[in-house]
Amino acid sequence: DTGVSQDPRHKITKRGQNVTFRCDPISEHNRLYWYRQTLGQGPEFLTYFQNEAQLEKSRLLSDRFSAERPKGSFSTLEIQRTEQGDSAMYLCASSLAGAGDTQYFGPGTRLTVL
Amino acid sequence: AQRVTQPEKLLSVFKGAPVELKCNYSYSGSPELFWYVQYSRQRLQLLLRHISRESIKGFTADLNKGETSFHLKKPFAQEEDSAMYYCALTRGESGYSTLTFGKGTMLLVSP
């Protein structure tokens, strides 16, 4: 499968714990995006990278959230001191700048904070 | 800030009936508009974008800047069209590509 992959697919954690999600984009794509989706809502933008540079962060991304893309390939999204309000589907997408820039989405990581 | 509104949470039609999924947007510049679809147990995928002016799976959408709308239409719905549909926009600025999504409309096509 050469699409965007995300790991894990499901994560259950207790409030106050830290969690980390991984996204592997389509190999030649230089842009990588993180979105969050809660029940009954469309995906909401969190942050995006072009190569290894984090170019934009949403106001939704509190200080407890951090994202990295160290070598311009895979990316990680870490949530520290999780809260029940962090429960959501976390989606990753990737695109190739200058080639229509169509975003291809991964299957998502569903986070449940107890 | 930009916003996308999809007024219907659910649209239920019979097979063969015409379909129109509504999408309105607010943005002061010249946005690029998209429709994404999510079939049951599948990932979100692009259906069409306004700059392509294509018809995909029989669906079309025309950008109406006067009414700030980008409604999705299909003349004859099929059962396999049942899915969640999201309208989205990005600011039409060079180098800017993050998407703003609506809340989505569930389309159910009954036999």
Side-chain angles (χ1 to χ4, degrees):
Chain A
D1 186 358
T2 56
V4 178
S5 61
Q6 293 186 244
D7 183 69
R9 296 290 304 277
H10 303 274
K11 178 70 177 179
I12 299 174
T13 191
K14 292 182 180 179
R15 190 175 52 185
Q17 297 295 304
N18 298 344
V19 294
T20 300
F21 309 141
R22 177 180 171 123
C23 171
D24 286 90
I26 294 171
S27 59
E28 65 269 24
H29 284 185
N30 55 355
R31 288 183 173 171
L32 187 148
Y33 311 78
W34 286 98
Y35 294 85
R36 180 172 68 186
Q37 186 173 22
T38 54
L39 197 62
Q41 303 292 319
E44 295 173 294
F45 167 72
L46 292 178
T47 188
Y48 113 87
F49 294 83
Q50 179 150 322
N51 300 314
E52 65 276 8
Q54 188 173 19
L55 296 187
E56 187 172 353
K57 292 194 293 185
S58 164
R59 290 170 297 171
L60 291 175
L61 212 65
S62 77
D63 291 345
R64 297 184 296 105
F65 288 68
S66 61
E68 295 183 340
R69 194 183 183 198
K71 296 183 179 178
S73 57
F74 73 92
S75 175
T76 58
L77 177 68
E78 181 183 16
I79 309 174
Q80 296 182 327
R81 305 181 302 282
T82 53
E83 301 173 356
Q84 287 186 325
D86 297 332
S87 295
M89 178 73 86
Y90 289 83
L91 297 170
C92 177
S94 70
S95 70
L96 181 61
D101 217 6
T102 298
Q103 293 186 30
Y104 293 85
F105 282 80
T109 294
R110 181 167 294 285
L111 172 66
T112 302
V113 182
L114 301 176
Chain B
Q2 56 269 28
R3 174 174 286 187
V4 176
T5 302
Q6 294 180 251
E8 303 139 330
K9 286 188 177 179
L10 173 66
L11 184 62
S12 186
V13 301
F14 288 105
K15 177 182 173 180
V19 169
E20 182 178 50
L21 299 169
K22 296 191 188 308
C23 172
N24 289 90
Y25 67 90
S26 63
Y27 176 58
S28 55
S30 295
E32 185 172 353
L33 274 294
F34 305 80
W35 277 98
Y36 276 80
V37 60
Q38 188 166 26
Y39 300 101
S40 178
R41 288 187 288 277
Q42 294 188 25
R43 62 186 67 188
L44 199 59
Q45 59 186 283
L46 179 67
L47 179 62
L48 54 80
R49 58 198 300 174
H50 89 268
I51 60 170
S52 300
R53 303 187 68 82
E54 295 174 299
S55 173
I56 306 293
K57 299 184 179 183
F59 285 97
T60 59
D62 290 318
L63 180 59
N64 185 323
K65 293 185 178 181
E67 295 182 358
T68 60
S69 68
F70 188 57
H71 302 328
L72 184 68
K73 300 177 183 179
K74 185 170 183 176
F76 307 103
Q78 303 299 313
E79 289 180 67
E80 56 265 31
D81 296 329
S82 295
M84 195 73 181
Y85 290 80
Y86 295 96
C87 183
L89 74 75
T90 186
R91 303 198 313 236
E93 302 168 9
S94 176
Y96 189 88
S97 58
T98 61
L99 293 166
T100 299
F101 285 87
K103 293 185 177 182
T105 298
M106 172 69 76
L107 174 64
L108 288 177
V109 183
S110 304

